Amino acid sequence: MNETDEMLLARTAMGDREAFKSLYLSLSPKIFPVLMQLMHDRQLAEDLLQDTFVRIWEQASRYDLNKSGAYTWSYTIARHLALDHLRRSSKRRTEHHTEREIELDVTESNMFSSSSHTQGKVDNCLSQLKGDQRQAVILSYCYGYEQRELVGVLSHPLGTIKSWLRRGMEFMQQCVSH
């Protein structure tokens, strides 16, 4: 009988090392590409994958099947670890990204598209957004900042951040499709 990831996670919560090994073999190939996309550094992504599974082992008893699947729960742990790392390293470099640094990072990141033609369109559309709105869109969609985090980074109310993101993405979708 093939056990689901949820069953393996439940057994992991009881300290079953074989279940944990099976869970790792099932989930790590799905989580690693996400970490690579966020970090753009293989060694760092591998380290964060290891940290993710250490955290899964330690917190497996907190998993609630009624709230999410095993992959979603594990992915959330990995994503938070990666974003925490990005924030820590970002704070060490500078207190805030300047508008120009953010634009350069987006151009290099390729998070919005896969072709250079489409990337040129994205860059052109981004340049048409106003400063704070452009920063909100880039920080949210390229760096994974959540709306509440942007309140502190951009020093604007949550309602304003939400409006910028909604209108910004509507504009981006329309602009890129033309």
Side-chain angles (χ1 to χ4, degrees), residues 2-4 14 33 43 47 52 63 70 86-87 90 96 98 103 131 134 139 151 174 176:
N2 275 342
E3 289 184 284
T4 65
M14 294 184 288
Q43 183 61 50
D47 291 347
T52 298
Y63 171 69
L86 287 170
R87 283 185 207 107
S90 175
H96 296 287
T98 65
E103 288 174 13
R134 180 175 45 245
L139 288 170
V151 169
Q174 187 176 42
V176 170

Side-chain angles (χ1 to χ4, degrees), residues 13 19 21 23 47 63 87 90 95 125-126 131-132 137 144 152 160 165 170:
K21 180 180 176 183
L23 185 68
D47 291 347
Y63 171 69
R87 283 185 207 107
S90 175
E95 195 61 32
C125 294
L126 276 172
D132 285 339
V137 168
T160 302
L165 292 173
E170 287 171 358

Side-chain angles (χ1 to χ4, degrees), residues 117-129:
H117 173 71
T118 305
Q119 185 64 43
K121 275 184 149 180
V122 169
D123 293 342
N124 179 50
C125 294
L126 276 172
S127 71
Q128 294 176 47
L129 293 174

Side-chain angles (χ1 to χ4, degrees), residues 23-53 56 71 74-75 78-79 82:
L23 185 68
Y24 177 84
L25 292 173
S26 174
L27 293 180
S28 64
K30 300 171 191 171
I31 293 174
F32 182 72
V34 173
L35 292 170
M36 275 297 294
Q37 187 177 27
L38 286 169
M39 307 315 294
H40 303 289
D41 179 317
R42 183 171 191 81
Q43 183 61 50
L44 187 53
E46 288 172 355
D47 291 347
L48 286 169
L49 183 66
Q50 181 178 351
D51 292 346
T52 298
F53 278 91
I56 289 169
Y71 169 76
S74 303
Y75 161 83
R79 183 177 177 274

